[in-house]
C-alpha cells in the first residue's frame, strides 16, 4: 500500500480501511492524518476551534467582571485609569508585520473559501470540510486581527500566551501542508489531485511563508508597541512644553483609536454621550494627543524655518508647506477618490431609465444597479467626511503652530518693531490671521478640484450630447474668468477690510487700557467717534466685499440653469435627439457642479484672505528682533557689575536719532548707584540700554550676573498678589515674609480681606499706584538677582513708606547686591556710592554727593531746587514741635504710619477663603440651546418681521422656479409628448423660467447681504456704546481679552458668517424639501420611511448639538485667555526678558493654546461624526426609493419620472447633511450673537446728560465743595474704602491730601468724578449735589491730572487737544507753561510729532507734563491733581508748582502728593488714614500741635537730612 493514494485522495476516510482495517499500522494512520489533504484541514480546524473557545472564555470573563463583579467593589476607590499620565503610543516594524501578515492570511483564506463554495467536485465530504475550513480560518484570523488592535489600546507589551501557542501550532500544521504539496509536485504526476488541489497547494505555500513571519514574532514575544508616558515631574521644568495635567486630565481617545474607530469616528462616542447627558465643562473635554500638541508643532515650525542663505521671500508659507506637505497630500488623495466616485450616480441614470423602459440584459440588473449605487454613495460619503476632518485637523495644527510662534516672536521684538505693529494689530495676527489660515485648509484643494470636476463633467456630457458640450465649456470658462477677476477684486477688498479692522482693534485696545482716564476726561464721545470712524472705513470695504460675494453667488447659482438653457439650445440646433435619459443625465451633471460652484467663491475668498494673512504674517515674523549679543553677559564672580564704554544707543532700529550718546560708566559689585537728571534727560533709556532693550549703534555693554528690573510704569499680571510676587518661583515662607516686610506690604495685606490671595485686576486696576509699585519691587527682591535696576520706585509712595523701603529694602535686603536707582528724590543721594547726572542723553557728571555738590553745575541746580522746597518744611518744624517730639512716636501715630511688624496675623488666608478672593470671575456662558429669543433679535433687529418675511419669500420663489424648470423637462421628454415635441417652444419656456430664476436669486442674494450688514452694524454700535458707558467696576472685573474677542472674532462672525450661512442653511432646507417632494411623488412607498428617518435625523441632530454647542461656547471662552495673556505679555516684555522668564511665559501660552485647541479638535470630530451618519442615512433613503422605482410596474412609474427623481435624489445625501450641518453651524455661530448681546446688556453708569439741565453754564462758578458722611465701597459686599468723611472746602482753596499708600486718597478723587458711586452720604459743589448732575456735564467741568500719565497713539496735538476745541496759539502757550515748548519745537513735525502706542517714545515725566498741558487748556474751576509731579525732578516740580499757583490762582485745587513740600503752601491739608479723615486744617495749625501730618513732615525732614 503506497502513500501516494493518501496524498492525492480527496477522501476523508482511509483508502485502506475497507480492505484490511486491522492490518493498518500506527505509522500508516499517522501518515494518513498528517499528509492527506482532508485530515490536515480537519486538524487545523480543530486547533482553530480550541483557540476561538479560549478567546471566547476570556471575553466572557471580562464581560462578567465588568458588568457584575465590579458592582461589589467600593465605589469610593479611585480608578487608576482616570488619573494616568498622558501616553504617546509608538509601534515598530514587528507590530505592523504581525497585523499586515494576519490580514494577508485572512485574504488568502477568503480565496480558499470562495474556491470551496464554487468547486464542482463529486467528493461531498471533501467539499464540506473545505468550506468549513475556509470559514473557520477567516473567522480565526479576523479575531486575531482584532486582538492585535486591542493590544495597542490595552497597552500590552507582550502577545497573549494563547495567541503564541496558536501561531506555533498553525506553523507546524502549515509545514505538513507544504510537505504534502511538495510530494505531490515533485514525485507525482502533474494532474494529481486535480486543479482544485494544485491551487490549494499554491495557497498553502503562501500561508506557510506568512506563518513563518508570525513564528518569528511569536519567538520575540514583544508586540512591538512602545508607550512613552509623560510624568508630571517633567512638566514644571523650564524647557517643558507639555500641557499641565488637570486633576482628571485624560488624553483624547483619538490618540489610541483603532483604524476602524478612526474611520467611523467611534472615538467620539464617549464625549458625545457625556455631552448629551449634561452640559460639558472644560475638564470634560480630553486633552490633545501629544503629536498634535502646540509644543511639538512649535518645535517643528522652528526646525523647518528657512535658513538665512535661502533668501526666502515667503518664509511662513514655505515653512508651513515643509511642515505639513504629507497631510496636504493625504487630503488631496481623499479629495481625488471622492471626485472619482461622485460620477457613479449620474452614469447610472441612463441605465435606470433603460431598465424601467424594459431595456435590460438580465431580470436582476436593477438590483445590481442599486448595489453599485449604494457602494458608490457609501465610499463618497466616507471619503468626503474623512477629507473634511483631516483638513480641519490640518488647519488646527497650522493655527497652533502659528499662535505659539507668533507669541515667541512677540517676546523677541525690538522696540521699534513693536511700535510699528502695535498690540491691537498683533492680537489680530493671532485671533484673525492664524484662524483664517486654519479655515482655508478646508478650501485649499478647491483650486484643482473644481476644474477637474468640470473636465470630467464635460467629457461625460460629450458622450451624451456631442458637440453641444462645447457651449457648456464656453459658459463655464466664462464664469471661471469672471471668478478670477472677482478674486483679484476681493483680495483688494479683503486687504482693506483687515487693515481697517487692525486700526479699529488697536484703538479699541487702547481705549480699554485707559478707560479710567477717558472717563475722567469725559472723552467717551470722542472715542466713540474715533472707533466708529475706523469701523465706518472697515464697513465701507466690508460692504464692497460682501456685495461682490453676492454677485459671485448670483452668477454661480444661476450657472446650472443658464448653461442648461444654452446647451439644450445648441443641441436642438445641432439636431441632437432628446429623451428622458439624455436630458436628466445632462441636468444631473450640471447639478453636480452646484456643490463646487457654491463652495468655489467661498474657497477663493478664503484663499485670497489667506494670501493676505500670509503676507501680514511674513511681515511680522521677519520683523527686527533684539540683538542678544548687544550686551555681553558674564556669569560668575567679577569685581565689575555693569560696564558701558563709548555707548551710543537709539530706540529706532533703522539708525534713527541717537537717544543716548557717548555713554561710559563702571559700576562695581555691591555698589548703590543713583541716576539723576531733569525730565527727558535719558535716565530710563540708560537702564533699557543696560538691559539690551535699545539698538546699540556703537560701544560695548558688559553685565556680570543676573538682572532684576522694576519699571517706572508698573506692570502687574492678572492673578493673586502672591502669584505676582513669586513670579514662577516656588514658595519659601521665610523668604516670602521677609520680602513682604521690607517692601512695606504687611499693612496693605492686613487691610485686604483676602490678604495676599486677593486677586489683582487687569493691569493692577484695583490697586493704588504705590501698592502696584511695591508689589513689583517685591517681585524683583524675591527673585534674588545680582543686579537691580530700579526706575523711580519712590515716586508713587509716601515719604514714610519711601524711607522705610530705602532703609529696609535698598540698604537692607539688597545691601550686598548691585543697585542702579533712577530717582528724583534728592534726599536719598547722601547715602549712595555713586551718582550719575544726565542731560540730553549723556552722562555729564559722576561721583559722590559731596564732590558733585562742589563741582557740578547740573547736580547743584537739582540740589538747589530741592533745598528751596525744603525751606517750607524746615520752617514748619519749630522748636515747639521739637519740644513735643515724643508725641510723634505715640502708638496712634505708629499704628497709622509705622510698619506693624509685631502683628501676628497671617499674611495669607486659608484655602476656604481663597475661593471668594477672585476679582476676575469666570466668563459667563449660556448652556443648552441658543435661545429662540437670540434668533428673533438677530432676524428682526434691522427690518422687523417684514425683513424676515421678504427673505423667506425670495428663497421660496427661487426654489420654486428651479423645480418648475425640471418639471418642464420631465413633461416635454415624456413618451406621450415625443410625437408633438416642439424644440423652439420647449427652449423658449425653459429660457423664461431660467430668466425668472436669475432675477429671484439676484434679489435674494443682495437682500440677505444687506440684511446681514445692517444687523451687524446695529450690533456694533450697541456694544461700543454700552462698553463706553459701562461703570468702572465692569472693567475692574472683566479682562480686556474677553472684550477684544467680542470685538474681533465674534464681530467677524456677525459681519460675515452668520448672514452667509443662514442664507445657505435656508437654501439647503428648501432644496431638501423639493427633493423629498419629487422623490416621494414617484417612489410613493418611500413616504413610509420619511417619518422614522426624519425622526432619526432630528435625534442625531439634537444628540450632536448638545455637545457641539457647548464645545463652540468653550472654544470662544478658552480663546479669550490666549489673547489676554498675549497682550499682557507684550506690555511687560522688558520685565519678562530681564528676569529671563521667556520660557515660563511661552509654556503658559502653549498651555492656553492647547486648552483652546482641544475644544476645536473635538468640535471638528463631532461635526464629521454627525455628517457621516446623516449622509449615510440619506444614501440609504435614496437607494431604497430607487429600489421601489425598479420594483414598481412601468404602468405606475414612467421612465422620465425615474430620471427626474434620480436627478434630484442623487444629491439627497449631501443636501440632507448640509441642511442639518448648516443649521448647526448657524447655531454655533449664533453663539457670537449671544455673546455680543451679553455685552449690550451691561448695566450702564448713571445718566450721561439730563434733558432738562439743572446746571448753570458757568457751574462750578465758586468752587465751594461740601462732603457729608461720605462712605464708599468698590462693589457690593466689599468693605468700606472711605468711612464717613465730612468736610468743607471754600472756593479757591488749595487742599493737599496726604496719607499712607492705599489709604483711599485716589478713591476720593474717583468719587468726585463718580467713577465710583457713594454708598452713603453726598458731595455738593456750589450747593448742587453731584449725584443730580449728568456724568458728562460733571466730568467735563472738572480738570484732572491723573496718577498714571497716559498718552494715546497719535500726535502731540491730538493728545493735548483730543476734541480739537482750541487754537494752535492756545496749544503753544499751554506747552510753554508746562515746560514742553522747547522739546516739541525741536521735533521737525512740531505739534504733529508722533506719539506711539502707550506714549513709549516720550519719557514718563514728559507724559506727565503733557497731561498738565491738557488741564491748562481746559481752565477748569475745580482741579484735581493725583501725584501730578511724582515723575519729575525737584527743579521741574518747583517750576510747575509756581505755574499752578499763578494760572490756577482762583481755582479750587485738591492735590494728592507724597512730596511734603508740594502741600506745605496749601491752604489746608487733609490727612486720610484707613479711609477716614483723621486731620483737616491748615499746615501751620497742624504743625503747631502733635499731629499725624507733623509726623509725616518730620519724617520727610529727617530723610532729607540723610540716614
Amino acid at each position: 500500500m503506497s502513500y501516494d493514494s493518501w496524498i492525492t485522495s480527496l477522501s476523508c476516510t482511509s483508502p485502506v480501511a475497507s480492505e484490511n482495517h486491522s492490518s493498518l499500522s500506527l505509522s500508516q494512520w499517522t501518515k494518513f492524518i498528517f499528509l492527506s489533504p482532508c485530515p490536515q484541514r480537519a486538524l487545523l480546524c480543530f486547533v482553530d476551534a480550541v483557540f476561538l473557545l479560549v478567546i471566547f472564555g476570556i471575553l466572557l470573563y471580562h464581560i462578567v467582571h465588568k458588568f457584575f463583579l465590579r458592582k461589589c467593589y467600593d465605589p469610593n476607590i479611585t480608578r487608576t485609569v482616570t488619573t494616568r499620565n498622558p501616553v504617546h503610543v509608538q509601534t515598530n516594524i514587528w507590530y505592523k508585520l504581525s497585523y499586515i501578515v494576519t490580514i494577508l492570511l485572512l485574504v488568502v483564506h477568503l480565496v480558499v473559501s470562495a474556491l470551496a463554495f464554487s468547486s464542482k467536485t463529486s467528493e461531498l465530504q471533501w467539499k464540506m470540510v473545505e468550506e468549513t475550513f475556509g470559514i473557520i480560518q477567516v473567522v480565526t484570523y479576523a479575531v486575531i486581527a482584532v486582538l492585535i488592535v486591542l493590544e495597542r489600546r490595552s497597552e500590552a507589551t507582550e502577545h497573549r500566551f494563547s495567541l503564541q501557542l496558536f501561531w506555533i501550532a498553525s506553523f507546524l500544521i502549515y509545514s505538513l501542508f507544504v510537505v504534502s504539496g511538495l510530494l505531490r509536485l515533485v514525485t507525482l504526476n502533474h494532474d494529481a489531485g486535480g486543479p482544485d488541489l494544485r491551487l490549494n497547494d499554491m495557497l498553502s505555500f503562501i500561508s506557510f511563508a506568512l506563518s513563518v513571519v508570525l513564528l518569528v514574532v511569536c519567538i520575540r514575544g514583544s508586540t512591538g508597541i512602545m508607550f512613552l508616558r509623560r510624568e508630571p515631574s517633567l512638566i514644571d521644568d523650564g524647557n517643558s512644553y507639555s500641557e499641565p495635567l488637570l486633576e482628571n486630565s485624560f488624553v483624547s481617545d483619538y490618540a489610541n483609536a483603532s483604524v476602524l474607530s478612526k474611520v467611523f469616528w467611534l472615538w467620539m462616542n464617549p464625549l458625545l454621550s457625556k455631552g448629551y447627558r449634561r452640559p460639558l465643562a472644560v475638564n470634560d473635554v480630553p486633552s490633545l494627543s501629544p503629536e498634535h500638541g502646540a509644543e511639538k508643532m512649535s518645535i517643528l515650525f522652528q526646525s523647518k524655518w528657512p535658513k538665512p542663505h535661502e533668501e526666502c521671500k515667503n518664509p511662513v508659507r514655505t515653512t508651513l508647506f515643509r511642515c505639513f506637505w504629507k497631510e496636504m497630500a493625504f487630503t488631496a488623495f481623499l479629495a481625488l477618490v471622492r471626485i472619482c466616485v461622485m460620477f457613479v450616480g449620474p452614469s447610472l441614470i441612463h441605465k435606470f431609465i433603460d431598465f424601467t423602459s424594459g431595456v435590460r440584459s438580465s431580470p436582476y440588473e436593477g438590483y445590481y444597479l442599486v448595489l453599485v449605487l449604494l457602494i458608490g454613495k457609501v465610499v463618497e460619503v466616507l471619503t468626503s467626511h474623512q477629507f473634511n476632518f483631516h483638513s480641519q485637523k490640518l488647519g488646527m495644527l497650522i493655527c497652533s503652530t502659528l499662535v505659539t510662534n507668533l507669541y515667541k516672536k512677540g517676546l523677541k521684538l525690538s522696540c521699534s518693531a513693536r511700535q510699528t505693529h502695535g498690540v491691537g494689530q498683533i492680537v489680530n495676527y493671532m485671533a484673525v490671521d492664524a484662524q483664517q489660515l486654519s479655515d482655508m485648509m478646508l478650501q485649499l484643494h478647491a483650486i484643482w478640484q473644481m476644474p477637474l470636476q468640470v473636465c470630467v463633467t464635460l467629457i461625460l456630457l460629450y458622450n451624451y450630447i456631442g458637440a453641444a458640450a462645447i457651449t457648456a465649456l464656453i459658459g463655464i470658462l466664462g464664469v471661471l474668468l469672471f471668478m478670477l477677476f472677482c478674486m483679484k477684486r476681493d483680495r483688494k477688498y479683503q486687504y482693506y477690510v483687515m487693515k481697517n479692522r487692525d486700526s479699529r482693534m488697536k484703538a479699541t485696545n487702547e481705549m480699554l487700557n485707559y478707560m479710567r482716564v477717558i472717563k475722567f476726561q469725559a472723552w467717551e464721545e470722542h472715542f466713540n467717534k474715533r472707533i466708529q470712524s475706523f469701523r465706518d472705513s472697515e464697513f465701507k470695504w466690508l460692504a464692497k466685499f460682501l456685495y461682490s460675494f453676492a454677485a459671485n453667488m448670483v452668477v454661480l447659482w444661476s450657472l446650472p440653469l443658464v448653461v442648461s438653457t444654452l446647451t439644450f439650445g445648441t443641441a436642438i440646433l445641432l439636431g441632437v435627439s432628446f429623451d428622458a435619459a439624455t436630458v436628466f443625465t445632462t441636468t444631473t451633471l450640471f447639478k453636480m457642479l452646484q456643490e463646487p460652484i457654491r463652495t468655489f467663491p467661498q474657497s477663493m475668498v478664503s484663499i485670497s484672505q489667506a494670501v493676505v494673512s500670509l503676507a501680514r504674517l511674513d511681515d511680522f515674523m521677519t520683523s527686527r528682533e533684539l540683538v542678544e549679543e548687544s550686551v555681553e553677559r558674564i556669569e560668575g564672580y567679577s569685581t565689575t557689575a555693569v560696564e558701558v564704554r563709548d555707548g551710543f544707543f537709539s530706540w529706532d532700529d533703522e539708525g534713527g536719532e541717537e537717544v543716548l550718546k557717548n555713554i561710559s560708566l563702571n559700576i562695581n559689585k555691591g555698589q548703590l548707584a543713583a541716576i539723576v537728571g531733569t525730565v527727558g534727560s535719558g535716565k530710563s533709556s540708560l537702564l533699557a540700554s543696560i538691559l539690551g532693550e535699545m539698538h546699540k549703534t556703537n560701544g560695548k555693554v558688559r553685565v556680570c550676573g543676573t538682572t532684576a528690573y522694576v519699571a517706572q510704569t508698573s506692570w502687574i499680571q492678572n492673578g493673586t498678589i502672591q502669584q505676582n510676587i513669586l513670579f514662577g518661583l516656588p514658595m519659601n515662607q521665610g523668604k516670602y515674609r521677609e520680602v513682604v516686610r521690607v517692601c512695606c506690604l504687611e499693612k496693605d495685606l492686613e487691610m485686604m480681606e483676602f490678604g495676599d490671595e486677593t486677586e489683582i485686576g487687569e493691569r493692577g486696576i484695583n490697586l493704588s499706584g504705590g501698592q502696584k509699585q511695591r508689589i513689583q519691587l517685591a517681585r524683583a527682591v524675591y527673585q534674588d538677582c545680582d543686579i537691580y535696576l530700579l526706575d523711580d520706585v519712590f515716586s508713587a509712595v509716601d515719604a514714610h513708606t519711601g524711607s522705610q523701603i530705602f532703609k529696609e529694602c535698598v540698604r537692607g535686603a539688597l545691601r550686598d547686591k548691585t543697585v542702579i536707582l533712577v530717582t528724583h528724590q534728592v534726599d536719598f543721594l547722601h547715602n549712595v556710592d555713586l551718582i550719575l547726572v544726565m542731560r540730553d542723553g549723556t552722562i555729564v557728571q559722576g561721583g559722590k554727593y559731596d564732590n558733585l555738590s562742589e563741582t557740578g553745575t547740573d547736580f547743584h541746580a537739582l540740589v538747589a531746587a530741592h533745598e528751596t522746597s525744603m525751606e517750607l518744611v524746615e520752617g514748619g518744624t519749630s522748636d515747639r514741635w521739637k519740644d513735643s517730639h515724643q508725641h510723634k512716636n505715640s502708638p496712634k501715630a505708629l499704628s497709622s504710619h509705622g510698619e506693624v511688624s509685631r502683628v501676628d496675623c497671617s499674611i495669607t488666608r486659608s484655602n476656604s477663603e481663597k475661593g471668594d478672593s477672585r476679582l476676575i470671575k469666570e466668563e459667563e456662558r449660556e448652556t443648552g440651546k441658543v435661545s429662540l429669543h437670540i434668533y428673533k433679535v438677530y432676524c428682526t433687529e434691522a427690518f422687523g418681521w417684514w425683513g424676515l418675511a421678504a427673505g423667506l419669500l425670495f428663497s421660496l420663489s427661487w426654489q420654486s422656479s428651479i423645480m418648475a424648470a425640471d418639471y418642464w423637462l420631465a413633461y416635454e421628454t415624456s413618451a406621450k409628448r415625443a410625437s408633438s415635441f416642439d424644440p423652439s417652444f420647449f427652449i423658449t419656456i425653459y429660457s423664461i423660467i431660467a430668466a425668472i430664476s436669475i432675477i429671484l436669486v439676484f434679489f435674494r442674494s443682495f437682500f440677505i447681504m444687506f440684511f446681514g450688514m445692517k444687523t451687524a452694524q446695529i450690533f456694533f454700535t450697541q456694544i461700543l456704546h454700552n462698553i463706553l458707558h459701562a461703570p468702572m467696576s465692569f472693567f475692574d472685573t472683566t479682562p480686556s481679552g474677553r472684550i477684544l474677542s467680542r470685538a474681533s472674532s465674534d464681530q467677524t462672525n456677525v459681519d460675515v458668517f452668520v448672514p452667509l450661512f443662514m442664507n445657505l442653511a435656508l437654501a439647503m432646507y428648501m432644496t431638501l424639501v423639493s427633493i423629498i417632494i419629487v422623490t416621494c411623488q414617484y417612489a410613493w412607498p418611500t413616504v413610509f420611511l420619511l417619518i422614522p428617518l426624519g425622526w432619526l435625523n432630528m435625534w442625531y441632530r439634537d444628540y450632536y448639538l448638545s455637545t457641539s454647542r457647548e464645545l463652540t461656547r468653550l472654544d470662544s471662552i478658552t480663546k479669550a485667555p490666549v489673547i489676554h495673556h498675549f497682550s499682557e505679555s507684550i506690555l511687560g516684555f522688558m520685565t519678562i526678558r530681564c528676569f529671563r522668564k521667556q520660557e515660563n511665559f511661552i509654556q503658559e501660552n502653549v498651555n492656553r493654546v492647547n486648552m483652546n485647541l482641544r475644544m476645536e479638535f473635538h468640535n471638528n470630530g463631532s461635526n464629521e461624526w454627525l455628517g457621516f451618519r446623516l449622509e449615510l442615512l440619506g444614501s440609504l433613503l435614496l437607494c431604497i426609493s430607487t429600489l421601489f422605482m425598479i420594483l414598481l410596474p412601468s404602468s405606475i412609474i414612467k421612465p422620465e419620472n425615474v430620471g427626474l427623481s434620480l436627478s434630484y435624489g442623487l444629491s439627497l445625501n449631501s443636501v440632507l447633511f448640509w441642511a442639518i450641518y448648516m443649521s448647526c453651524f448657524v447655531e454655533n455661530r449664533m453663539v457670537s450673537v449671544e455673546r455680543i448681546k451679553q455685552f449690550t446688556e451691561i448695566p450702564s453708569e448713571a445718566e450721561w446728560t439730563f434733558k432738562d439741565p439743572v446746571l448753570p453754564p458757568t457751574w462750578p462758578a465758586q468752587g465751594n465743595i461740601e462732603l457729608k458722611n461720605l462712605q464708599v465701597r468698590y462693589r457690593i459686599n466689599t468693605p468700606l474704602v472711605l468711612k464717613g468723611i465730612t468736610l468743607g472746602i471754600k472756593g479757591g482753596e488749595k487742599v493737599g491730601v496726604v496719607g499712607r499708600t492705599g489709604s483711599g486718597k485716589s478713591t476720593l478723587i474717583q468719587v468726585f468724578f463718580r467713577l465710583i458711586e457713594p454708598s452713603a452720604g453726598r458731595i455738593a459743589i456750589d450747593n448742587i449735589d453731584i449725584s443730580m448732575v449728568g456724568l458728562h456735564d460733571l466730568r467735563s467741568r472738572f480738570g484732572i491730572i491723573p496718577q498714571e500719565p497716559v498718552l494715546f497713539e497719535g500726535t502731540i496735538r491730538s493728545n493735548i487737544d483730543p476734541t480739537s476745541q482750541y487754537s494752535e496759539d492756545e496749544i503753544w502757550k499751554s506747552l510753554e507753561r508746562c515746560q514742553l515748548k522747547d522739546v516739541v519745537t525741536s521735533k521737525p513735525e512740531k505739534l504733529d510729532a508722533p506719539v506711539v502706542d502707550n506714549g513709549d517714545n516720550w519719557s514718563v515725566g514728559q507724559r506727565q507734563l503733557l497731561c498738565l498741558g491738557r488741564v491748562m487748556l481746559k481752565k477748569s474751576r475745580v482741579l484735581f491733581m493725583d501725584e501730578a509731579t511724582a515723575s519729575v525732578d525737584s527743579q521741574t516740580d518747583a517750576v510747575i508748582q509756581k505755574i499752578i499757583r499763578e494760572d490756577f490762582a482762583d481755582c479750587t485745587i485738591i492735590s494728592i502728593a507724597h512730596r511734603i513740600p508740594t502741600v506745605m503752601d496749601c491752604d489746608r491739608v487733609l490727612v486720610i488714614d484707613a479711609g477716614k479723615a483723621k486731620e483737616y486744617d491748615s499746615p501751620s495749625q497742624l504743625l503747631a500741635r502733635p499731629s499725624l501730618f507733623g509726623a509725616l513732615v518730620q519724617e520727610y525732614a529727617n530723610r532729607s537730612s540723610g540716614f
Side-chain angles (χ1 to χ4, degrees), residues 719-904:
T720 64
I721 292 173
Q722 185 185 106
Q723 288 168 344
N724 270 275
I725 294 174
L726 296 181
F727 204 48
L729 290 185
M731 167 62 83
N732 179 324
Q733 283 289 349
K735 179 182 174 183
Y736 180 79
R737 288 178 181 278
E738 179 63 15
V739 167
V740 168
R741 185 188 69 79
V742 300
C743 293
C744 300
L745 281 167
E746 285 180 320
K747 184 75 175 174
D748 299 90
L749 297 182
E750 286 163 21
M751 288 170 63
M752 292 176 185
E753 188 179 0
F754 301 101
D756 65 351
E757 291 295 337
T758 301
E759 185 170 2
I760 303 172
E762 200 171 2
R763 301 179 307 281
I765 204 161
N766 55 329
L767 298 175
S768 72
Q771 287 169 334
K772 285 190 280 189
Q773 195 69 276
R774 282 178 288 131
I775 286 170
Q776 67 165 0
L777 177 63
R779 174 175 64 206
V781 175
Y782 192 83
Q783 298 301 305
D784 195 22
C785 298
D786 300 319
I787 302 165
Y788 283 80
L789 289 82
L790 311 180
D791 195 351
D792 203 12
V793 292
F794 302 111
S795 62
V797 297
D798 59 82
H800 172 79
T801 307
S803 301
Q804 286 292 105
I805 289 173
F806 191 82
K807 287 179 190 174
E808 300 289 345
C809 183
V810 177
R811 272 311 197 188
L814 303 180
R815 61 184 174 275
D816 298 325
K817 309 289 185 181
T818 305
V819 180
I820 303 174
L821 172 69
V822 169
T823 185
H824 293 301
Q825 314 291 328
V826 178
D827 327 331
F828 299 132
L829 298 181
H830 295 279
N831 299 279
V832 302
D833 303 316
L834 174 66
I835 301 170
L836 300 172
V837 185
M838 294 196 71
R839 184 182 69 223
D840 298 330
T842 59
I843 298 174
V844 292
Q845 294 169 275
K848 288 222 174 233
Y849 185 92
D850 295 335
N851 297 334
L852 292 176
S853 298
E854 295 169 6
T855 61
T857 52
D858 288 82
F859 184 70
H860 181 73
L862 288 171
V863 173
H866 174 69
E867 289 174 348
T868 303
S869 68
M870 286 304 300
E871 289 173 5
L872 290 168
V873 178
E874 289 164 359
T877 53
S878 60
D879 293 337
R880 184 171 45 184
W881 164 252
K882 291 173 185 175
D883 292 339
S884 58
H885 177 72
Q886 66 272 15
H887 291 289
K888 80 179 192 317
N889 290 321
S890 66
K892 182 178 177 183
L894 280 172
S895 68
S896 297
H897 298 276
E899 294 303 319
V900 194
S901 56
R902 64 178 182 273
V903 176
D904 293 326

Side-chain angles (χ1 to χ4, degrees), residues 1043-1269:
I1043 304 172
L1044 288 172
S1045 67
R1046 283 164 171 83
S1048 57
S1049 55
D1050 285 326
Q1051 187 63 46
T1052 301
N1053 281 337
V1054 175
D1055 282 346
V1056 181
F1057 294 113
V1058 173
L1060 177 62
F1061 286 102
M1062 195 173 276
N1063 177 10
L1064 289 172
L1066 184 61
M1068 287 296 173
Y1069 269 109
M1070 292 199 167
T1071 306
L1072 179 62
V1073 171
S1074 70
I1075 291 171
I1076 290 171
I1077 289 171
V1078 172
T1079 305
C1080 294
Q1081 182 179 354
Y1082 300 114
W1084 53 265
T1086 313
V1087 175
F1088 298 112
L1089 294 172
L1090 284 181
I1091 293 173
L1093 283 174
W1095 174 84
L1096 194 58
N1097 272 281
M1098 294 315 294
W1099 182 85
Y1100 266 132
R1101 181 185 185 276
D1102 291 341
Y1103 185 77
Y1104 149 83
L1105 205 51
S1106 303
T1107 300
S1108 177
R1109 188 193 304 113
E1110 298 311 314
L1111 286 172
T1112 302
R1113 285 177 175 139
L1114 290 170
D1115 180 38
S1116 297
I1117 286 169
T1118 53
K1119 196 176 292 259
V1122 177
I1123 298 170
H1124 165 65
H1125 180 249
F1126 186 77
S1127 55
E1128 185 178 69
S1129 302
I1130 293 296
L1131 292 172
F1133 71 98
M1134 276 183 73
T1135 304
I1136 294 168
R1137 291 197 287 228
C1138 173
F1139 287 110
R1140 294 285 182 254
K1141 295 286 184 182
Q1142 293 100 315
E1143 289 300 321
N1144 297 40
F1145 276 79
I1146 288 168
Q1147 178 60 45
E1148 179 62 24
N1149 171 255
V1150 163
N1151 294 343
R1152 294 186 184 212
V1153 169
N1154 279 338
M1155 179 74 76
N1156 178 239
L1157 289 179
R1158 75 196 216 193
M1159 308 302 164
E1160 184 182 343
F1161 176 74
H1162 289 92
N1163 204 0
N1164 293 339
S1166 66
N1167 291 344
E1168 303 315 318
W1169 178 94
L1170 172 76
F1172 172 72
R1173 283 151 180 78
L1174 290 185
E1175 286 214 45
L1176 202 59
L1177 285 175
S1179 299
L1180 288 173
L1181 182 62
L1182 167 68
C1183 292
I1184 291 168
S1185 64
T1186 309
L1187 189 62
F1188 283 134
M1189 281 190 273
I1190 65 169
L1191 288 172
L1192 291 171
S1194 56
S1195 58
I1196 295 176
I1197 182 162
K1198 304 296 181 189
E1200 64 271 14
N1201 295 335
V1202 172
L1204 177 61
S1205 295
L1206 284 175
S1207 71
Y1208 271 74
L1210 282 172
S1211 58
L1212 176 61
N1213 63 303
S1214 60
V1215 171
L1216 178 64
F1217 162 68
W1218 282 111
I1220 300 286
Y1221 177 72
M1222 285 295 174
S1223 67
C1224 295
F1225 190 91
V1226 167
E1227 177 146 352
N1228 288 339
R1229 285 299 181 268
M1230 286 299 284
V1231 171
S1232 290
V1233 177
E1234 183 181 70
R1235 282 160 55 80
I1236 287 175
K1237 286 305 290 180
Q1238 282 176 354
F1239 273 33
T1240 61
E1241 293 163 3
I1242 303 165
S1244 182
E1245 289 184 299
E1247 284 292 325
W1248 217 41
T1249 54
F1250 287 110
K1251 292 181 181 176
D1252 302 320
V1254 295
L1255 286 182
T1258 57
W1259 182 88
Q1262 304 299 321
N1264 295 316
I1265 299 173
E1266 185 181 4
L1267 281 72
K1268 286 189 178 178
N1269 190 33

